Amino acid sequence: MKFSDITGHKSTIDSLRDIVDSDHIPHAILLGGQEGIGKMRVARAFVSYLYCLNRTNGDSCGRCPACLQNAHHNNPDVHYIFPRTGATSKNTDSFLPQWNDFLDTHSYMPKEEWARSIDAGNTVPVIYRSDAAEISRTAALSSFAYRYKTYIIWMPEKMQPQCANALLKLLEEPFPDTIFILVSNEPEKLLPTIFSRTQRFNMKPLKDIEVSEILNSEGVSMAEAQEIALLSEGNIIKAFDIAGEGGEIKEFSALFMQMMRLAYARNAAGLRMLSDAIAAMGREKNSRFLSYCGRLTRENFIYNLRQPTLNAMTRGEEEFSVRFSPFINNRNVERLMTEIQRAHDDILRNANARLVMFDFMLKIMMLLRK
């Protein structure tokens, strides 16, 4: 991965290049921003530039031994730490084949795809205390082949408390040849003491033109790519999901429509069955579904203004909204959004998903005819 392989994020790339060129590399770097904008791509390009033996025109050469090692994920001084399952029965090395394949095939790092690749099921992958212990052990050793040892930690917000505290000790008394790169979807969830000890780069969502260029390079027509970019919110994972006939968005759209039809018909029994089915999808997916509900509720409220340029919906969503949007109005939109947010928060707090989803749907049923 080279800087030239990356679309967007010019200011971040320029800053990372400068700290290498000036030889003022901080011991801890935090690349933060929403999922699907290419943070790990930037981290990998930075590492390639850091280790490259023949930097050219502000980029890694892609041909020297260090570049080839980084491209094939076998640089002995570059270590990846990532959320996983199996605290006692497995260690990080057990997942390296899946991890290396994931980096090659899903460089924008969709976390649900990673969970599927390691057969996580309903278990939420985390970074364990044992992972921090391994970092501590290897960080105390001399680098193997190059000047620096680098630890790239993906989703550090998934660290167990004991792991986070152990990492904090390493950041407080860093080894001079060790660099940590934290790649976070939710940097606000990190320990404040860890957050404060990093040089932070707040990476923004991609621009619509950047999203459409990426889609077009993958064979999507420019006209379709531009339409998808408006819906993607700067998230390439979401953009590819829409381009692939919707994927999860298509699934969530069907569930949302079914929920609203049952709620309007005051079919509590049907809502109970639907809430059980959605709860069975797992906590992470429940959270994404409720976020989707919030978006489509807002879009339906805006649809009533009859200003097409203000809306960002798929064709299927818009076809449903033609008739549904009048039921999202000034009398109920704030309460609906409040209930969606409350259910989302309850799910994240590990409340019983079946109870949360059924209670949420009953409230939707009561509000929909206001």
Side-chain angles (χ1 to χ4, degrees):
M1 187 71 65
K2 301 170 63 175
F3 287 140
S4 57
D5 295 326
I6 296 169
T7 300
H9 306 304
K10 182 179 184 303
S11 62
T12 298
I13 289 172
D14 287 345
S15 297
L16 291 171
R17 182 188 294 117
D18 288 346
I19 65 176
V20 175
D21 292 344
S22 64
D23 199 26
H24 287 91
I25 304 170
H27 69 276
I29 293 170
L30 172 60
L31 302 179
Q34 72 176 43
E35 182 185 29
I37 61 174
K39 300 185 299 298
M40 181 60 81
R41 291 171 65 86
V42 171
R44 291 170 61 191
F46 169 70
V47 168
S48 292
Y49 189 66
L50 173 66
Y51 285 91
C52 181
L53 304 176
N54 186 30
R55 298 177 196 135
T56 306
N57 297 323
D59 209 347
S60 52
C61 69
R63 298 181 300 275
C64 70
C67 285
L68 294 175
Q69 285 178 325
N70 285 319
H72 294 95
H73 318 303
N74 59 9
N75 183 329
D77 290 323
V78 176
H79 310 271
Y80 287 97
I81 311 299
F82 44 83
R84 57 185 178 84
T85 57
T88 57
S89 60
K90 297 180 181 179
N91 56 35
T92 304
D93 289 347
S94 302
F95 295 95
L96 283 179
Q98 298 99 310
W99 175 254
N100 292 339
D101 181 66
F102 182 64
L103 287 175
D104 290 335
T105 58
H106 296 90
S107 64
Y108 286 94
M109 313 301 284
K111 58 181 182 292
E112 65 275 9
E113 187 62 37
W114 171 243
R116 280 195 288 270
S117 70
I118 60 173
D119 298 322
N122 288 330
T123 303
V124 177
V126 299
I127 300 175
Y128 293 96
R129 173 66 181 86
S130 58
D131 297 317
E134 181 63 13
I135 294 174
S136 182
R137 185 188 69 81
T138 56
L141 303 175
S142 298
S143 57
F144 186 81
Y146 300 99
R147 178 181 175 186
Y148 295 107
K149 302 188 298 291
T150 303
Y151 295 86
I152 304 175
I153 305 178
W154 181 50
M155 295 206 297
E157 60 271 20
K158 296 296 185 181
M159 290 187 292
Q160 289 183 322
Q162 305 95 319
C163 177
N165 288 324
L167 178 63
L168 176 59
K169 292 180 181 179
L170 292 172
L171 297 183
E172 288 175 333
E173 300 178 3
F175 294 96
D177 65 345
T178 302
I179 298 169
F180 291 94
I181 303 173
L182 281 61
V183 183
S184 176
N185 294 339
E186 299 173 292
E188 68 279 2
K189 292 186 176 181
L190 293 173
L191 285 178
T193 44
I194 288 180
F195 186 85
S196 66
R197 283 170 171 77
T198 63
Q199 181 167 333
R200 298 174 292 280
F201 295 88
N202 183 24
M203 297 175 60
K204 304 296 184 183
L206 294 168
K207 298 175 183 177
D208 289 348
I209 184 62
E210 293 168 343
V211 173
S212 59
E213 287 174 357
I214 294 170
L215 290 172
N216 186 241
S217 70
E218 295 293 327
V220 179
S221 70
M222 183 53 74
E224 185 179 0
Q226 290 172 341
E227 179 182 343
I228 292 170
L230 293 173
L231 303 174
S232 70
E233 300 176 326
N235 183 330
I236 290 297
I237 296 172
K238 182 180 290 187
F240 281 122
D241 188 38
I242 297 169
E245 299 185 351
E248 189 171 81
I249 287 180
K250 187 175 182 180
E251 178 186 5
F252 286 167
S253 178
L255 291 171
F256 180 87
M257 294 176 194
Q258 183 182 2
M259 178 178 70
M260 291 305 180
R261 287 170 178 143
L262 290 169
Y264 182 77
R266 296 183 178 269
N267 186 341
L271 289 173
R272 180 57 184 268
M273 293 177 64
L274 180 61
S275 66
D276 286 350
I278 292 174
M281 296 189 308
R283 199 170 304 280
E284 293 278 345
K285 198 167 183 177
N286 284 182
S287 173
R288 297 195 298 275
F289 171 68
L290 288 164
S291 296
Y292 175 87
C293 290
R295 181 184 75 81
L296 207 56
T297 298
R298 286 192 300 272
E299 293 297 333
N300 272 269
F301 179 69
I302 295 169
Y303 194 82
N304 290 308
L305 302 177
R306 298 296 184 261
Q307 296 289 329
T309 57
L310 299 178
N311 275 114
M313 294 189 285
T314 65
R315 291 188 183 90
E317 290 170 346
E318 186 170 4
E319 289 172 2
F320 176 73
S321 298
V322 170
R323 295 185 178 180
F324 178 69
S325 58
F327 297 101
I328 308 296
N329 49 58
N330 289 321
R331 296 185 301 276
N332 63 12
V333 65
E334 290 187 11
R335 286 286 308 280
L336 285 167
M337 293 303 295
T338 297
E339 294 303 334
I340 291 170
Q341 187 61 51
R342 180 178 290 121
H344 184 271
D345 292 345
D346 287 343
I347 288 292
L348 293 181
R349 294 189 186 105
N350 293 323
N352 185 299
R354 289 190 176 189
L355 295 179
V356 170
M357 296 305 299
F358 185 50
D359 179 68
F360 163 66
M361 291 184 188
L362 289 178
K363 288 173 179 173
I364 295 296
M365 182 178 74
M366 300 302 295
L367 290 168
L368 204 56
R369 292 198 183 191
K370 282 189 176 288

